[in-house]
Amino acid sequence: MPREIITLQCGQCGNQIGCRFWDLALREHASHNTNATFDHALSSFFRNVDTRHSPPLEIPTGTGNSPIRSLKARAVLIDMEEGVIKQLISGHLGDLFDTKQYITGNSGSGNNWAQGHEVYGPEYADDILEKIRKQVELCDSLQSFVMLHSLGGGTGSGVGSYIVELLHDAYPQVYQFSTSIFPSVDDDVVTSPYNSLLATVALAEYADCVLPIENQALLDILSQKENTRGKHSIAKGKVKGDKPFDSMNGIAANLLLHLTSSMRFEGSLNVDLNEITTNLVPYPKLHFLVSSMAPHSAFSHSGSAAQQHRAINQLFTEVFMRDNQLIKVDPTRSTYLACALLMRGNGCTISDLHQNVARIKHRLTMVSLPHATKSFRGSLLCGT
């Protein structure tokens, strides 16, 4: 049974991340699906339609794989300025979307949470719910909504938090994941701290799981990569050969791909998205998770068995380093309620996982059992 995810891109930052996300998702599925057939993995993020009909005819996946005709993203794009969405629609990814999937304005929210939440949110509420409803009706087994937005601007914080509230009321049984970008300390928008605080209140109240990402953490990761290569340090997320913030958006997009890979592709130790929240969220409002990735670039499994073994050990060590975290905390000085490790690839065995979990667990301070609830215990989970 396919399990679908509807992605909601809100604001300039959310749609820029979405642009990188859909590009990377297509590349990932192309590398796994060399036969160019529409399978259950593809159906999580995409629909397969036959454009020879008007309106385009939906091709069911059935029990087997069907040939790919034309892929359409399971997404709704919202921005109170039309610039970014217009570029996305007119670019090489434009065929993934149609006019029924995006909502744009003309004036923007002026970097003001209240303008987005109290003005544009109620004004576009019916239109937003209608477009989401159409995407929901095209799903056989809807798994969750995923919000991509920044909390520093007016649309991402204001309209984004308003949509989270709408979905909580309209689809209370569907999980809501939010990938939220928090502004850096030297953000040049004077209202960004206020926007972030006001939006966080709604995320704490209505979202099921939030993956906060700091702009400063993304900048530090890219700066570290550039320094390792011996190049000049970057400024404001611009890497040589890339568009501004393109590499930063790529890291955030990769986080979502890694998180959902376990439900999209087959594997003996796979876990569902809902299982992640069940094990990592002890109380309804305590659902802000610290994310970390290692490596941030492609990982090669070539080399001898000894080299692979050392590389896997290094990955387990690096993922708990502060330099690899997408929100800055000190893992060695923190107490973990729970921890989940999601491994991708074929370069490790079950014994490697157990060995490294046992090694890392002694370095972490997990919550003590007497203070944990009966249904929730401090634990270190691992899956592939």
Side-chain angles (χ1 to χ4, degrees):
M1 170 68 72
R3 291 167 293 181
E4 298 88 1
I5 297 175
I6 296 178
T7 304
L8 307 173
Q9 303 169 196
C10 188
Q12 177 179 339
C13 179
N15 282 287
Q16 288 175 337
I17 294 175
C19 182
R20 291 290 294 138
F21 168 76
W22 295 112
D23 184 40
L24 293 173
L26 287 173
R27 294 173 185 268
E28 181 180 87
H29 281 282
S31 65
H32 285 81
N33 190 348
T34 56
N35 296 326
T37 56
F38 188 78
D39 54 15
H40 286 174
L42 263 174
S43 67
S44 294
F45 285 125
F46 301 96
R47 296 186 295 115
N48 191 23
V49 300
D50 192 340
T51 55
R52 295 175 299 179
H53 301 266
S54 182
L57 178 65
E58 182 88 12
I59 303 175
T61 57
T63 56
N65 296 342
S66 55
I68 294 177
R69 295 296 183 184
S70 179
L71 293 179
K72 293 294 182 181
R74 300 187 188 275
V76 177
L77 288 58
I78 304 114
D79 197 359
M80 294 302 101
E81 291 180 345
E82 61 180 1
V84 176
I85 293 182
K86 190 175 181 179
Q87 292 177 5
L88 179 59
I89 298 301
S90 61
H92 67 285
L93 297 175
D95 291 340
L96 290 177
F97 312 98
D98 55 43
T99 56
K100 298 179 181 179
Q101 292 181 257
Y102 59 86
I103 300 171
T104 59
N106 296 317
S107 59
S109 299
N111 293 320
N112 190 316
W113 175 89
Q115 183 74 9
H117 189 275
E118 303 298 330
V119 178
Y120 289 129
E123 179 180 346
Y124 289 92
D126 292 340
D127 198 10
I128 292 173
L129 282 176
E130 177 64 16
K131 293 185 183 299
I132 293 176
R133 183 188 63 80
K134 290 180 179 179
Q135 292 299 315
V136 170
E137 289 180 349
L138 296 172
C139 298
D140 294 325
S141 177
L142 178 60
Q143 172 78 184
S144 61
F145 295 108
V146 173
M147 172 75 73
L148 301 176
H149 64 147
S150 168
L151 302 189
T155 300
S157 64
V159 180
S161 59
Y162 189 85
I163 293 174
V164 171
E165 297 172 19
L166 286 179
L167 293 178
H168 181 269
D169 295 333
Y171 302 95
Q173 303 301 321
V174 182
Y175 275 73
Q176 287 193 61
F177 285 78
S178 176
T179 303
S180 306
I181 310 298
F182 283 76
S184 56
V185 177
D186 58 349
D187 194 289
D188 56 358
V189 178
V190 69
T191 57
S192 62
Y194 306 98
N195 296 335
S196 302
L197 180 61
L198 292 166
T200 301
V201 174
L203 292 176
E205 185 70 29
Y206 299 105
D208 293 298
C209 185
V210 180
L211 303 170
I213 300 176
E214 284 183 314
N215 262 335
Q216 189 59 50
L218 299 179
L219 283 170
D220 291 344
I221 290 171
L222 296 181
S223 297
Q224 183 182 8
K225 290 173 64 176
E226 289 299 301
N227 292 335
T228 302
R229 295 171 183 171
K231 297 181 179 180
H232 297 291
S233 61
I234 61 174
K236 291 190 176 180
K238 187 171 184 179
V239 181
K240 186 177 180 180
D242 288 344
K243 296 179 180 179
F245 300 104
D246 219 30
S247 297
M248 296 170 64
N249 294 335
I251 294 175
N254 265 320
L255 173 64
L256 183 55
L257 286 175
H258 296 330
L259 184 69
T260 59
S261 63
S262 188
M263 61 161 287
R264 289 183 289 130
F265 301 105
E266 296 182 357
S268 58
L269 296 180
N270 281 10
V271 294
D272 206 348
L273 277 182
N274 296 351
E275 294 180 61
I276 294 177
T277 57
T278 299
N279 286 281
L280 297 185
V281 179
Y283 304 103
K285 294 184 180 181
L286 201 61
H287 54 244
F288 290 78
L289 308 183
V290 176
S291 305
S292 179
M293 290 192 298
H296 297 290
S297 56
F299 177 61
S300 176
H301 297 291
S302 61
S304 65
Q307 289 175 333
Q308 291 184 16
H309 183 75
R310 286 195 299 269
I312 293 170
N313 292 346
Q314 184 179 0
L315 286 180
F316 273 83
T317 301
E318 289 180 350
V319 79
F320 286 98
M321 295 174 59
R322 188 172 184 176
D323 292 340
N324 289 316
Q325 292 181 323
L326 304 188
I327 181 170
K328 293 295 184 179
V329 297
D330 190 347
T332 61
R333 296 177 179 269
S334 305
T335 299
Y336 285 80
L337 289 173
C339 180
L341 298 171
L342 301 178
M343 300 287 294
R344 299 192 66 182
N346 301 315
C348 64
T349 63
I350 299 297
S351 60
D352 290 329
L353 297 179
H354 288 308
Q355 177 184 351
N356 280 281
V357 167
R359 177 176 63 87
I360 292 295
K361 193 169 184 178
H362 293 294
R363 300 173 48 190
L364 305 178
T365 303
M366 308 296 294
V367 65
S368 59
L369 292 178
H371 296 88
T373 62
K374 292 183 179 180
S375 60
F376 186 84
R377 293 289 185 265
S379 57
L380 189 62
L381 309 175
C382 190
T384 59

